[in-house]
Amino acid sequence: MLGGESWDDGALTWTDGPDGLNLMFPRELDTAAVRHGVQIALARGRSSVGVWLNTGVDASALRECGFERGWAIRWMAASLAAVVADGGDRDGRVELQTTTLDYEGEHADYGDRLRLTRQEPSVAWYAAAYNRPADVRPSDRPRRFAGRAWSFYDGGADGIAGVFDMEVWPRFRRRGLGTALLRTVCSAAREAGASRVVLNATEEGSLLYRSCGFTTIGEGITWWLHLNS
């Protein structure tokens, strides 16, 4: 729906979409195959190539191709019943949205992704956080866009939903917005029939997720190659 694609090149699975060209969780790496993927990225005008890797996979082929080690990943999971507080008051600073005017400049095309939220039946939900609710308008406190989160659930029999691209901008952290974003998108997935949720967490983010009922189920690492434009 957003124009992405995936393909296999031997034992490697590549994706190309709004988040760029990525190699997804190879079990082993071959230098020639990695270089072939880099050539595809260059031909398509991509500025970088990412690799999502389990920590037990030999990464020497990536080093040979000029990749640099990125941030650590923690795969975490939880029961949605533990994350979503039944009967709890909803935080008015967080809204589920199907359109947005919050992105501009170099990020203006991010709003196109919200087409996913308008698909029927619903499989994706986007939440935006602000520094205050819409119905509170003190003259000395303008309303500011403070963060976002997504959830996705395709109705699969396993009942597992995913949370993605969750972030609170640095100046708005430590105000409960991360918890509110997480519970809002998880609640939407639960109402659609999901029973469990998984996500990838940074080390800092994992502290929030643990407090909301998540446990670590695995660890990984990202690798990045930045290409000349």
Side-chain angles (χ1 to χ4, degrees), residues 104-123:
E104 56 187 19
E106 63 178 308
H107 304 293
D109 61 352
Y110 192 96
D112 293 340
R113 304 185 187 191
L114 270 69
R115 284 182 287 160
L116 288 170
T117 68
R118 301 191 291 274
Q119 181 175 330
E120 295 292 342
S122 297
V123 296

Side-chain angles (χ1 to χ4, degrees), residues 14 39 63 103-104 132 140 156-157 194 204:
W14 296 87
Q39 290 301 314
R63 295 189 184 92
Y103 299 93
E104 56 187 19
R132 61 174 176 79
D140 61 343
E204 181 181 8

Side-chain angles (χ1 to χ4, degrees), residues 12-196:
L12 304 184
T13 297
W14 296 87
T15 65
D16 190 10
D19 294 325
L21 195 74
N22 289 278
L23 174 57
M24 305 304 295
F25 306 111
R27 294 184 178 180
E28 58 182 5
L29 289 163
D30 174 81
T31 302
V34 171
R35 285 179 176 157
H36 184 223
V38 172
Q39 290 301 314
I40 293 173
L42 287 167
R44 297 186 177 197
R46 301 295 182 260
S47 61
S48 65
V49 180
V51 180
W52 297 73
L53 197 66
N54 291 317
T55 53
V57 176
D58 182 0
S60 57
L62 298 177
R63 295 189 184 92
E64 290 178 24
C65 294
F67 283 77
E68 297 178 351
R69 186 183 175 100
W71 62 83
I73 309 163
R74 284 183 173 83
W75 290 286
M76 306 186 77
S79 163
L80 280 171
V83 179
V84 179
D86 288 325
D89 293 334
R90 181 181 173 188
D91 192 320
R93 299 172 300 170
V94 174
E95 303 172 2
L96 287 174
Q97 297 178 344
T98 58
T99 60
T100 180
L101 297 175
D102 288 324
Y103 299 93
E104 56 187 19
E106 63 178 308
H107 304 293
D109 61 352
Y110 192 96
D112 293 340
R113 304 185 187 191
L114 270 69
R115 284 182 287 160
L116 288 170
T117 68
R118 301 191 291 274
Q119 181 175 330
E120 295 292 342
S122 297
V123 296
W125 300 269
Y126 168 87
Y130 300 90
N131 63 325
R132 61 174 176 79
D135 57 355
V136 177
R137 303 180 181 278
S139 60
D140 61 343
R141 191 184 178 197
R143 196 172 193 234
R144 304 294 188 191
F145 181 39
R148 66 173 178 237
W150 287 81
S151 63
F152 178 86
Y153 175 59
D154 64 0
D158 57 10
I160 298 176
V163 168
F164 304 93
D165 206 13
M166 178 168 147
E167 186 174 6
V168 176
W169 318 145
R171 63 178 291 194
F172 299 109
R173 292 174 184 170
R174 312 298 182 210
R175 304 183 189 182
L177 289 173
T179 298
L181 278 167
L182 180 65
R183 287 179 174 165
T184 297
V185 295
C186 283
S187 179
R190 190 184 186 195
E191 290 175 7
S195 58
R196 293 189 59 78

